[in-house]
Amino acid sequence: MALLDTVKIMAKKHGYSLTELNEKAGLGKNTIYSWKTKTPSTENLQKVAKVLHTSTDYLLGNTDDPSPANNEGRKNIDISNTNNIYSYNGQPVPEEYLDVIRNLMDSDFKRGRKNGKFD
């Protein structure tokens, strides 16, 4: 699948038009549309991948897994964005559960937890 097609699908999945995605990624007007005929810069592709919570490898078709992995191969899941829908064992995670998780994590990070460890 072509890069632009993948970006369109992911944007739609997140409820964005390509114009909205352009704005959220801080790109110039119609930058993403130009990817139909031009190769995007690495920087612009990374900005779009970040907004879409995916990897540049997924957008480029180098992997079938849309979930980004951190340096240690673990999946990064952004639970700060309430527009995302999460599931556990095939069931949607209620917003109040996510609120509890966010509060626990906020508390942990305020106490100095970074990268899974306390300093």
Side-chain angles (χ1 to χ4, degrees):
M1 183 179 307
L3 170 64
L4 183 59
D5 294 329
T6 303
V7 170
K8 283 180 183 178
I9 290 167
M10 290 296 289
K12 185 176 181 179
K13 180 178 174 182
H14 288 279
Y16 304 138
S17 67
L18 289 185
T19 302
E20 291 169 322
L21 180 57
N22 252 327
E23 291 172 12
K24 288 190 174 293
L27 304 179
K29 187 176 181 180
N30 297 324
T31 296
I32 295 173
Y33 287 105
S34 73
W35 295 355
K36 186 172 185 174
T37 57
K38 296 179 184 177
T39 303
S41 71
T42 302
E43 181 181 348
N44 286 349
L45 189 60
Q46 287 172 338
K47 288 177 182 180
V48 168
K50 184 175 181 179
V51 171
L52 296 175
H53 307 290
T54 192
S55 67
T56 55
D57 278 337
Y58 179 76
L59 295 178
L60 292 169
N62 296 332
T63 180
D64 292 333
D65 185 359
S67 302
N70 66 16
N71 294 349
E72 297 169 2
R74 293 179 296 201
K75 304 291 182 186
N76 290 321
I77 301 172
D78 182 4
I79 64 168
S80 62
N81 182 349
T82 58
N83 293 329
N84 290 327
I85 298 171
Y86 301 98
S87 64
Y88 180 75
N89 286 337
Q91 299 296 315
V93 176
E95 185 61 33
E96 52 271 15
Y97 284 29
L98 290 174
D99 288 339
V100 170
I101 294 168
R102 286 184 197 103
N103 289 335
L104 287 169
M105 293 180 74
D106 285 343
S107 174
D108 244 14
F109 287 111
K110 286 178 185 171
R111 288 187 289 145
R113 187 176 186 112
K114 294 179 184 150
N115 297 321
K117 300 174 187 165
F118 284 102
D119 290 335

